[in-house]
Amino acid sequence: MNENRVIQFKWFWSWQDDKQEAWLEAMSQKGLHLCDFKAFGRYVFDIGTPRNYTYRLDFDQTSGEDSDYFQLIQEAGWERIIQISGWQYWRKETHEGKAPELFTDTGSKIQKYQRLLTGLLVPSPVVFVVVLGMFKRFPGRHPQWFVVLVISIFVAAILFSAVNLVMVTQRINELKRMKTF
């Protein structure tokens, strides 16, 4: 690994993007600037001078780098750092103590979480069909430890998805309540 880089381990759930943004901002104020993300919560930072960056995350799996979406955000002065599984990590320098916003209204934030909800729902049936298809195609040909392992992983994946779905839905409902005030 490069001497000018450091890896920090930190876990955030999909609905905790605001906490993740605050943590990344605090890291930049310490001179650690996000440059990459590895599996299982490993954040890679460039070591540099402390900066007041504002980080914002958006969930968009459909827009390519040449889309109007990217051009609009980049023209507003945002720098895209990385893209991970549909999550777009953006940063912009904070001036005069006022943090810039990627989303200026509650409706846009709700749309972000609705896109995330769709992204969480789509793979679930696929995994279910693959696992069932594997056991149906080769009935009785699997050792017991393998069946237990696959079922355990499958149940863990369902629980992981369920927690994410419930919490993201809760986040959407909170934003909808805020919007009505």
Side-chain angles (χ1 to χ4, degrees):
M1 169 143 270
N2 188 334
E3 293 177 14
N4 297 325
R5 289 196 171 164
V6 65
I7 295 177
Q8 295 283 322
F9 295 91
K10 189 83 169 168
W11 180 263
F12 293 100
W13 290 90
S14 60
W15 67 88
Q16 294 177 319
D17 55 322
D18 52 344
K19 291 180 182 180
Q20 188 175 171
E21 291 167 352
W23 180 71
L24 292 170
E25 291 165 14
M27 297 302 281
S28 279
Q29 291 171 354
K30 295 177 183 177
L32 300 175
H33 310 292
L34 182 67
C35 65
D36 202 1
F37 180 85
K38 305 292 183 190
F40 306 111
R42 294 180 301 156
Y43 293 80
V44 181
F45 294 94
D46 283 328
I47 300 171
T49 58
R51 309 268 308 257
N52 285 325
Y53 280 128
T54 296
Y55 285 86
R56 293 293 178 256
L57 280 65
D58 186 16
F59 189 82
D60 187 330
Q61 294 179 305
T62 59
S63 300
E65 289 188 33
D66 58 344
S67 70
D68 291 340
Y69 162 80
F70 274 78
Q71 289 176 3
L72 180 69
I73 294 174
Q74 288 175 332
E75 286 173 6
W78 291 91
E79 172 190 8
R80 188 178 84 154
I81 308 304
I82 51 175
Q83 183 270 328
I84 306 289
S85 301
W87 282 103
Q88 311 293 329
Y89 285 68
W90 298 92
R91 88 172 153 214
K92 186 176 184 179
E93 189 124 23
T94 304
H95 294 288
E96 300 171 11
K98 188 170 181 170
E101 286 299 328
L102 195 58
F103 299 106
T104 55
D105 63 305
T106 306
S108 297
K109 290 179 184 179
I110 291 170
Q111 289 175 347
K112 171 178 83 169
Y113 289 113
Q114 288 172 334
R115 289 190 303 268
L116 174 59
L117 206 54
T118 302
L120 290 170
L121 284 171
V122 170
S124 300
V126 173
V127 171
F128 184 71
V129 168
V130 168
V131 170
L132 285 180
M134 181 178 77
F135 285 113
K136 186 173 179 163
R137 175 131 170 105
F138 305 106
R141 294 187 185 164
H142 304 288
Q144 186 174 2
W145 67 266
F146 181 75
V147 172
V148 170
L149 176 68
V150 169
I151 290 172
S152 299
I153 291 171
F154 185 65
V155 168
I158 288 173
L159 290 174
F160 182 81
S161 294
V163 167
N164 273 296
L165 292 171
V166 167
M167 295 306 289
V168 170
T169 302
Q170 233 176 18
R171 185 89 160 118
I172 290 169
N173 291 336
E174 287 173 14
L175 289 169
K176 284 180 180 178
R177 280 192 297 276
M178 288 174 48
K179 189 177 179 181
T180 59
F181 286 112

